[in-house]
Amino acid sequence: MKSLPKNLVIALVAVLLVGAVFSTYTLGGEKPEEVSFGALVERIEAGEVKTIEVTGNEVRATLSDDAQVVTRKESAESLSTILTSYGVTPEQLKASEITVKDASTRSYLASALVTTLPPIIVIVVVFYFLARQMQGANNRAMTFGSSGAREAEKGAKNRVTFADVAGAHEAKEELQEIVEFLKNPKKFADLGAKLPKGVLLMGRPGTGKTLLSRAVAGEADVPFFHISGSEFVEMFVGVGASRVRDLFAKAKKGAPCIVFIDEIDAVGRQRGAGLGGSHDEREQTLNQILVEMDGFDPNLGVIVIAATNRPDVLDPALLRPGRFDRRVTLDLPDINEREAILKVHAKNKPLEADVDLRRVAERTPGFAGADLMNLLNEAAIRTARQDRKAVTQEDVLVSIEKVLLGPERKSYVMSAKEKKVTAYHEAGHALVAKMLPNADPVHKVSIISRGSAGGYTLKLPLEDKRMHARAEFVDDLAVLLGGYVSEKETFGDLTTGASDDLKKCSRLARELVTRYGMSDLGPVVFGEPEEMVFLGRTMNENRNYSEQTAERIDAEVSKLIHGAMEVARAIITGKKEYLDRIANTLLEKETIEKEAFEALFATPA
């Protein structure tokens, strides 16, 4: 029923109501008993009939007990003639009052309508809606090549401005110039400056590309058309190109204006990426975009802003000057920007006085703006589930771990042996990180299961870093192997709990040798990534070294890993008392925060 159009449902209900009214009108009351004509004659002769009403061929008699019976007579003869032929005397007829009525045309018509009108109405309604749908299909067919771009409303109450976007100062400056260019083009034209054709917003997912474009729409006093790159591509050849033409035709009518294409990599990938060659639908769409942005017909007053997190797959022709003149890169926010972003998202959330957003920013390196928004949202959800009115610092800190690792696995109960192994494993990580000078400080150690992790050691840098030294990587290798070595030295056996650590350790050691030149093999990059185009774009390693070099690479990787393992073993065996202290505290409390962890080292073991 829900799939039917609303009007059709209303029409069917109306038909049913009409039928019910006619049915009530014509069939109301109790139905009289039908008898044979001879039975009626017997009751007349017995004096049991008070009145007789003749309507056409129908004879309706009311008996002495007020019950009614009905029978039928021949249409050619009158009732008195028929009764006389049945032997009814005139005296017996006088005992019953006989009334003759004409057949009711209204009753006959109502009866006919009840049987014929509802089906007719249903058929008419069905054909009406079928015709409407066919007409709508024809209209959709005529507008199939339309772009479907949506124009942002001017002066909307919930519009986004640059004040709502924290951080990304350089990106906002670049886009602010676009807004000023559109508002006051003469100031720039007097100096010979031309309006930029396109702006490409590049950055990781969640860094605020779409949010910045919405801010441009809120700041600029010009029409703003927005569309997704995937909306251009259809299975029918030429539809994408037609939609591009329609989009730019609308934009030119509203010039000066802004066109925003989200996820442009869906349509702007490097040409030749399919088996269809130049006839591939995506390529035809991309070709039309290239022509519209900078073809024989110059695009005056239309600025195209596009967003992508995959700039490496875009076609070079799309990136040349004259198409996307500006490329704005949005990096992950630093600690000050994270604090500002948290303040923006905390405006509509009641926070307790103990909430320190600076400390939250310190604990969230590598978080994008969307991650920080999700973090505070999870904290608010946790507060609501516990029927409290304000978000506390604990809610926020617990939400960080939920975003990083997943929710607590409260249903998973470890055995005493597994809990002890996990405690010593995490204690090994924490102890090695504490003792190595170039490792990040330990902020929290826990043996509470989250996501796929049986326990975790949360290490966070004191400050944001753009570059990392070899000494930091070497210490990180030792920290990764701390849990593995702790299990082996404490229990004399190994478990599968270190599998993820070993995977990360092996990958990092190989990158030190093959990508960063941080080994005895020297400043050489081995195995440059090679781009392959076949049924889409894939990455493959171009092995630009010999088998002898491959053996040397494996030897260097093994040397780094075993060296790190020896460092971890020396710390764990030399500081066994601290290891036991950390593990026993974990077995007792399950979680150790930064202050409590530092207190474990305040007194000598």
Side-chain angles (χ1 to χ4, degrees):
M1 206 67 170
K2 291 181 180 180
S3 61
L4 292 174
K6 182 179 178 181
N7 293 336
L8 179 58
V9 174
I10 295 174
L12 290 176
V13 172
V15 169
L16 294 176
L17 290 175
V18 170
V21 170
F22 279 115
S23 175
T24 302
Y25 174 77
T26 58
L27 302 177
E30 296 182 1
K31 188 176 181 180
E33 179 187 359
E34 290 191 10
V35 297
S36 64
F37 197 84
L40 177 63
V41 171
E42 291 177 358
R43 295 187 178 185
I44 293 174
E45 291 175 344
E48 298 177 356
V49 178
K50 291 195 300 184
T51 61
I52 298 175
E53 184 179 293
V54 182
T55 305
N57 295 333
E58 184 182 84
V59 179
R60 186 184 296 264
T62 303
L63 305 181
S64 301
D65 57 357
D66 292 331
Q68 289 188 343
V69 294
V70 66
T71 187
R72 297 187 180 278
K73 69 175 185 64
E74 296 179 4
S75 58
E77 301 290 340
S78 64
L79 178 64
S80 58
T81 302
I82 297 174
L83 291 176
T84 302
S85 65
Y86 270 85
V88 179
T89 64
E91 291 77 11
Q92 293 172 333
L93 285 175
K94 290 179 181 179
S96 302
E97 181 182 349
I98 300 176
T99 304
V100 180
K101 293 183 178 182
D102 294 334
S104 175
T105 304
R106 186 178 63 179
S107 177
Y108 174 78
L109 180 60
S111 178
L113 287 176
V114 167
T115 58
T116 60
L117 186 61
I120 292 175
I121 292 177
V122 171
I123 292 173
V124 170
V125 169
V126 170
F127 272 101
Y128 170 74
F129 281 102
L130 286 176
R132 284 280 302 272
Q133 290 182 358
M134 293 177 64
Q135 183 179 6
N138 291 333
N139 292 336
R140 288 193 296 271
M142 295 300 292
T143 60
F144 195 61
S146 299
S147 65
R150 296 158 302 277
E151 185 174 358
E153 297 182 6
K154 295 182 179 179
K157 293 182 179 179
N158 58 343
R159 66 174 186 164
V160 179
T161 64
F162 286 139
D164 300 314
V165 183
H169 302 294
E170 295 80 6
K172 286 194 288 187
E173 288 179 5
E174 291 286 330
L175 295 174
Q176 184 64 48
E177 286 186 11
I178 302 296
V179 173
E180 292 180 6
F181 218 126
L182 291 169
K183 288 183 175 180
N184 188 11
K186 186 177 183 302
K187 180 175 73 172
F188 296 89
D190 291 344
L191 298 174
K194 294 183 179 179
L195 192 69
K197 293 288 183 68
V199 179
L200 183 63
L201 302 179
M202 305 180 296
R204 298 185 186 183
T207 49
K209 300 182 293 295
T210 305
L211 182 65
L212 271 174
S213 69
R214 291 172 58 195
V216 173
E219 294 283 347
D221 240 354
V222 295
F224 184 90
F225 300 91
H226 55 99
I227 191 171
S228 171
S230 60
E231 295 182 44
F232 290 115
V233 182
E234 288 282 351
M235 64 179 292
F236 302 104
V237 176
V239 172
S242 174
R243 291 179 176 177
V244 172
R245 288 191 293 270
D246 180 72
L247 170 63
F248 279 89
K250 291 179 180 178
K252 289 175 183 177
K253 290 180 181 178
C257 67
I258 295 174
V259 174
F260 175 65
I261 304 176
D262 198 8
E263 304 295 347
I264 194 173
D265 52 276
V267 70
R269 285 174 174 259
Q270 192 170 15
R271 286 170 288 186
L275 295 177
S278 61
H279 298 286
D280 180 62
E281 169 63 8
R282 184 182 287 109
E283 293 188 10
Q284 299 298 331
T285 307
L286 174 58
N287 291 338
Q288 190 63 43
I289 292 177
L290 298 176
V291 171
E292 292 290 345
M293 289 191 70
D294 187 24
F296 284 105
D297 185 15
N299 205 7
L300 301 177
V302 178
I303 296 180
V304 181
I305 300 178
T308 180
N309 50 39
R310 293 291 310 278
D312 55 305
V313 303
L314 296 180
D315 193 275
L318 198 63
L319 302 176
R320 76 159 177 83
R323 266 70 182 257
F324 283 101
D325 300 293
R326 294 194 177 190
R327 302 176 201 174
V328 180
T329 301
L330 282 81
D331 291 325
L332 292 174
D334 59 24
I335 185 169
N336 295 322
E337 291 174 334
R338 290 196 299 273
E339 184 180 6
I341 293 171
L342 287 168
K343 289 180 179 178
V344 169
H345 294 302
K347 285 181 180 178
N348 62 341
K349 296 177 176 62
L351 303 179
E352 290 283 3
D354 67 334
V355 176
D356 185 359
L357 295 180
R358 181 69 181 187
R359 185 181 176 191
V360 177
E362 291 174 355
R363 281 208 174 192
T364 51
F367 273 48
D371 297 322
L372 297 171
M373 179 184 68
N374 185 36
L375 163 65
L376 290 181
N377 184 60
E378 290 289 348
I381 291 173
R382 186 176 188 269
T383 304
R385 289 179 61 184
Q386 296 182 5
D387 296 325
R388 289 184 281 107
K389 299 299 183 182
V391 179
T392 64
Q393 182 79 355
E394 182 186 0
D395 294 326
V396 181
L397 296 181
V398 170
S399 299
I400 294 175
E401 297 163 23
K402 184 175 182 180
V403 172
L404 283 173
L405 302 170
E408 290 185 9
R409 296 168 59 192
K410 297 180 180 179
S411 60
Y412 176 66
V413 180
M414 290 188 290
S415 64
K417 183 178 180 181
E418 286 182 338
K419 193 173 183 180
K420 187 174 182 180
V421 171
T422 304
Y424 272 93
H425 182 99
E426 298 304 330
H429 287 308
L431 178 60
V432 175
K434 171 65 178 176
M435 295 302 168
L436 291 177
N438 298 303
D440 294 330
V442 176
H443 281 248
K444 186 175 183 178
V445 188
S446 176
I447 58 172
I448 298 175
S449 299
R450 280 188 176 274
S452 60
Y456 56 94
T457 300
L458 187 62
K459 303 189 295 90
L460 299 172
L462 295 175
E463 57 185 12
D464 295 307
K465 300 178 182 178
R466 298 289 181 181
M467 296 185 295
H468 298 272
R470 182 181 185 277
E472 296 175 9
F473 287 129
V474 172
D475 284 359
D476 286 342
L477 290 175
V479 173
L480 286 170
L481 293 170
Y484 175 90
V485 174
S486 178
E487 287 186 28
K488 190 173 182 179
E489 294 296 326
T490 304
F491 303 101
D493 198 3
L494 297 171
T495 67
T496 58
S499 59
D500 189 57
D501 297 331
L502 297 180
K503 185 192 302 182
K504 293 177 181 177
C505 182
S506 301
R507 184 187 304 121
L508 177 57
R510 188 163 293 275
E511 288 179 347
L512 290 177
V513 177
T514 60
R515 289 183 57 192
Y516 304 139
M518 296 180 177
S519 70
D520 293 339
L521 295 182
V524 182
V525 174
F526 299 99
E528 295 180 353
E530 183 182 40
E531 298 173 358
M532 296 184 63
V533 179
F534 177 73
L535 294 178
R537 187 165 181 166
T538 59
M539 302 297 292
N540 187 36
E541 184 185 62
N542 178 21
R543 186 169 178 176
N544 56 358
Y545 49 88
S546 64
E547 290 295 332
Q548 291 79 8
T549 304
E551 293 179 3
R552 294 178 63 191
I553 291 174
D554 292 339
E556 287 292 327
V557 171
S558 179
K559 178 181 175 182
L560 285 170
I561 293 176
H562 283 85
M565 188 168 64
E566 290 304 320
V567 171
R569 179 179 288 110
I571 293 173
I572 287 173
T573 56
K575 304 289 184 180
K576 188 67 168 61
E577 296 82 359
Y578 288 114
L579 180 72
D580 294 334
R581 189 180 294 181
I582 298 170
N584 291 331
T585 306
L586 285 173
L587 289 172
E588 179 185 353
K589 299 181 179 179
E590 294 188 335
T591 299
I592 307 175
E593 289 288 347
K594 180 180 179 181
E595 294 78 8
F597 179 76
E598 294 293 339
L600 294 176
F601 296 87
T603 58

